[in-house]
Amino acid sequence: MKLEIVSGGLLTTVQDLGRWGFQGIGMPVAGAMDSFALQAGNIIVGNAPNAAALEITVMGPTINVVEGEGVICLSGAPLDMRINNEKVPHWTAIRVKGGDKISIGGPTGPGCRAYLCVSGGIDVPVIMGSRSTYLRAHIGGLEGRALQKQDTISTGELPALWHLCDGFSCPSWMIPPYGQNVPINVVLGPQDDYFTPEGIETFLSSEYTITNEADRMGYRLDGPEIEHKSGADIISDAIPLGAIQVPGSRKPVAMLADRQTTGGYTKIAVITTPHIALLAQRLPGEKVSFKKVSFEEAALALKEEKDKLRTLEIERANYRSTRKTHAASTPKAGPIQWSMKINGKNYHVTCEEIS
């Protein structure tokens, strides 16, 4: 499809799962702030989980479908999405075609980031293995910036059986709880031994407020001060996704997708992978509290998230199979031909449906 941006929204960028493998030369990862929502939305429309999509923050864009057709899905936070001024559901594959108008407004529930996933993914140049936009360095995405009025973007090659995804929805039990009352799970370390027992207790028992200094790089939090044993500085080392630094201000800072690669402040804890998204879906002024979990619990939570995505792929396959079975009135397609090479030998295969 060819898409024309009528208005870019508050902050709409192209993101996939990030630019991994280049932190050693100082290149941040970037990528989706809510990686589960991105992957789930892509699966719903028939893409590979890592396909590039549009990450939308708070207020979405208006987009004209200039030509082509496909299915789209808005996953993540529930923003008001309409096609030709008709409200459509979230976490659901919706078919669109040339001439359609996609309008995405503000939140209709908890959460602030949504992902517009489209058949074939957003087709922008791959830089260092990723299509993600890193805004601070103007790298990736569409010219390294947020989308704006009069931009034109295209989608990649349509995935097989894309049309059979139309109407497929994510089961409600898989959708994350984007509410303010869920504590953010953390694993203590790697420098928790730089804090007094009282400092760690303060961190785990207090409520913090997200300040206005919150963006894709990280969230600064305001609340009770966390006591160090002898200072906040360390020899700079790597900053993992979800690390919580405590600088000299004694106030925590949660490091997110566009974080720098290294830093010289103590890190009291690291947020578990599924809960990074829960924090990234909160806005300045909202409250945050933290809950300690073990490394084993964090690993299990990550496995459960990956299992959800695998289950969603199975659900999509079952849905497409059911639709194909009941499409008796659909004319049969002609024969399909392809070539393959096995152990150096070429084979030509023809496949034709018979009744």
Side-chain angles (χ1 to χ4, degrees), residues 47 67 93 113 136 142 149 155 158 162 188 196 209 226 244 253 299-300 303-304 332 336-337 346 349:
N47 292 340
E67 60 184 45
R113 288 184 170 86
R136 290 173 184 266
L142 183 65
K149 182 178 180 179
T155 61
L158 289 171
W162 66 269
L188 291 181
T196 65
T209 302
I226 300 168
I244 299 178
V253 183
L300 179 60
K303 178 182 181 300
E304 289 173 348
K332 290 194 302 180
I336 300 172
Q337 298 179 328
N346 292 317
V349 181

Side-chain angles (χ1 to χ4, degrees), residues 68-147:
E69 60 178 339
V71 290
I72 65 173
C73 171
L74 190 72
S75 59
L79 305 185
D80 181 27
M81 183 167 81
R82 299 170 186 266
I83 297 177
N84 301 327
N85 209 34
E86 182 177 341
K87 190 174 178 62
V88 294
H90 310 112
W91 296 84
T92 301
I94 308 292
R95 191 163 184 166
V96 294
K97 62 185 184 305
D100 286 340
K101 181 178 182 179
I102 305 166
S103 304
I104 303 174
T108 60
C112 64
R113 288 184 170 86
Y115 295 85
L116 184 64
C117 300
V118 300
S119 299
I122 301 298
D123 187 17
V124 293
V126 175
I127 298 176
M128 296 183 178
S130 173
R131 292 182 167 88
S132 285
T133 310
Y134 177 45
L135 292 169
R136 290 173 184 266
H138 306 289
I139 288 173
L142 183 65
E143 300 176 0
R145 58 171 173 79
L147 299 187

Side-chain angles (χ1 to χ4, degrees), residues 1-5 12 14 53-54 63-64 66-67 116 118 122-124 141-142 147 150-155:
M1 290 186 289
K2 184 177 180 181
L3 307 175
E4 177 191 31
I5 308 303
T12 303
V14 179
L54 299 184
I63 301 172
N64 286 335
V66 177
E67 60 184 45
L116 184 64
V118 300
I122 301 298
D123 187 17
V124 293
L142 183 65
L147 299 187
Q150 296 185 338
D151 282 339
T152 299
I153 53 177
S154 298
T155 61

Side-chain angles (χ1 to χ4, degrees), residues 303-319:
K303 178 182 181 300
E304 289 173 348
E305 181 173 272
K306 291 184 178 298
D307 287 345
K308 281 185 181 181
L309 294 171
R310 280 191 287 266
T311 299
L312 186 60
E313 289 181 317
I314 293 170
E315 292 283 336
R316 182 195 65 192
N318 291 339
Y319 178 86

Side-chain angles (χ1 to χ4, degrees), residues 219-238:
Y219 279 15
R220 288 188 180 273
L221 307 176
D222 189 31
E225 293 185 356
I226 300 168
E227 185 179 44
H228 297 91
K229 287 181 178 177
S230 59
D233 295 333
I234 59 170
I235 297 173
S236 291
D237 65 1

